[in-house]
Amino acid sequence: MMQESKFLQNKLGLMGWISGGRYGIERYAYTLHRLTGLAILAYFLLHIFVTTSRLLGQSVWETVMGFLKSPVFKYGEFLVYLAFAYHALNGVRLVLTELGFFLGVPKQPLYPYTHSVRRQRPLLILVMAAAAVIVLLGGYDFLGLAGK
Amino acid sequence: MRTRESTFWTWHLLAGLIILVVLGIHMSIMHLSKLLGTGGQPNDVVEWTLVKMRSIDFAFALMYVVLLGAALYHGLYGLRTIILELTLSERAEKVVSAFIVFVGFVLFIVGGYGTIAFYVLNGPVR
C-alpha cells in the first residue's frame, strides 16, 4: 500500500515542470529555480577544476584563462551570473515562505476564498525586482560601461 | 517529528543562506569589479597577480573552502532531491544517494586541496 501511494506522488514526472496548471506563476518560478540550480551546479563542478589549475603555476593559469576569454565562455559566464541572481533571490523567497513568513495567519475558509500562494505573491514580485536590479548592475559591469 | 531527511533539508536551507552571503561577496568581486572598484589594476579580476593576492589572503582562502563545502552540499542535495522525486525504487535511491555523497567528498577534497595547498605554498605561512 505504501509502495503504491509513493508511485502516485509524482505521476506527472518532468511534465509537472513544464506545465504550471492551476498553480500559476509560482509553479514556473519553481521550474526555473530547478533549471538554474542545475545550470549553476554544472558550472560549479567545472569551476572547481578550473580554479584548482592555479596550483600548476602562472603559465598554466594564463593559458586556461586565455581559453576561457573566448566570447562563448564570456557570455556563458554572464548567463551563470543571471542564473545566480534569479536562484539566490528566489531562494530567499522560498526560505521565507518555508518558515511561514508572508503566508498570513491560518483562518476559516470563507467565501470569497484566498489562498497562501496569492498572499505571498507581492514577495515574489519584490524578489524578482531585486534580481532584475542585480542583473542590470552586472550587465553594466559586463558590457564594460562601468570602466569608461 | 524530526527525521534524518528533515535534518538534511534544514542543512540545505542553511547552506543556501551561507552561499547567499559568501557567493554574494565572490560575485561582487568577480562581476561588479568595475562598478565597485574591486578589480584593482589592470582591472582584470582573473589576472594572475590578483588571483594570487586573493588566494594567499587567509580570509579569502577560508571563504573559498566554506563556499566549496556549502555549495557542494546545497547543489548535490538539490540534485539528489530532483532525482529521488522521479520515484525510483528504494535500492536505486540508495545507490543515487551513495554516489552523490561520494562525488561530493571527492570534489571537496580536490577543491579544498587546490585552495589550501596554494595558500600554504605561496602564502604568508611560508
Side-chain angles (χ1 to χ4, degrees):
Chain A
M1 191 62 196
M2 280 300 286
Q3 196 72 350
E4 273 179 29
S5 63
K6 183 181 176 188
F7 279 92
L8 284 172
Q9 280 172 16
N10 188 21
K11 58 186 174 186
L12 283 176
L14 288 176
M15 285 304 291
W17 288 30
I18 299 162
S19 170
R22 65 179 187 279
Y23 293 107
I25 197 165
E26 281 76 11
R27 184 71 181 184
Y28 297 105
Y30 151 90
T31 302
L32 197 55
H33 193 78
R34 295 200 147 190
L35 292 175
T36 52
L38 290 173
I40 294 166
L41 180 64
Y43 171 82
F44 181 59
L45 299 185
L46 287 174
H47 192 60
I48 290 173
F49 290 100
V50 168
T51 52
T52 301
S53 73
R54 71 189 185 276
L55 255 186
L56 302 172
Q58 184 173 359
S59 61
V60 173
W61 176 260
E62 283 171 354
T63 307
V64 172
M65 287 302 114
F67 176 68
L68 295 178
K69 270 189 179 163
S70 67
V72 175
F73 287 106
K74 207 164 147 50
Y75 284 95
E77 200 175 11
F78 188 68
L79 286 179
V80 175
Y81 178 79
L82 295 186
F84 160 73
Y86 173 80
H87 195 87
L89 271 298
N90 192 53
V92 169
R93 176 182 71 89
L94 294 176
V95 172
L96 288 172
T97 51
E98 173 83 13
L99 298 175
F101 296 104
F102 297 93
L103 295 176
V105 201
K107 55 185 177 186
Q108 286 276 349
L110 298 172
Y111 190 81
Y113 306 120
T114 56
H115 52 78
S116 56
V117 171
R118 289 247 167 86
R119 273 186 237 132
Q120 59 89 55
R121 190 155 291 167
L123 178 63
L124 174 72
I125 295 165
L126 186 74
V127 294
M128 287 305 105
V133 170
I134 292 171
V135 166
L136 288 174
L137 289 174
Y140 189 69
D141 201 280
F142 176 77
L143 293 170
L145 299 171
K148 286 180 180 172
Chain B
M1 194 183 76
R2 193 161 193 84
T3 62
R4 205 167 67 143
E5 283 302 322
S6 65
T7 305
F8 291 158
W9 172 246
T10 309
W11 290 355
H12 180 69
L13 297 187
L14 288 173
L17 293 174
I18 292 168
I19 295 165
L20 184 71
V21 175
V22 182
L23 192 58
I25 296 169
H26 182 63
M27 285 288 189
S28 302
I29 291 165
M30 304 308 287
H31 292 281
L32 299 173
S33 59
K34 296 186 190 88
L35 208 61
L36 301 174
T38 49
Q41 296 296 329
N43 226 4
D44 184 356
V45 286
V46 292
E47 201 263 328
W48 175 255
T49 48
L50 290 176
V51 170
K52 191 175 174 185
M53 193 181 79
R54 286 195 301 269
S55 299
I56 60 172
D57 184 309
F58 180 76
F60 272 104
L62 182 67
M63 190 179 86
Y64 292 149
V65 175
V66 169
L67 179 59
L68 177 71
L72 277 174
Y73 180 81
H74 188 84
L76 292 174
Y77 180 84
L79 177 66
R80 174 182 173 266
T81 304
I82 290 171
I83 295 171
L84 296 199
E85 269 187 20
L86 300 172
T87 56
L88 309 172
S89 70
E90 209 165 299
R91 187 181 154 79
E93 282 187 357
K94 279 185 181 162
V95 172
V96 167
S97 299
F99 180 71
I100 283 179
V101 169
F102 173 74
V103 169
F105 272 113
V106 169
L107 290 170
F108 186 74
I109 289 166
V110 171
Y113 175 75
T115 304
I116 295 166
F118 193 92
Y119 178 80
V120 171
L121 292 172
N122 301 284
V125 286
R126 191 171 160 79

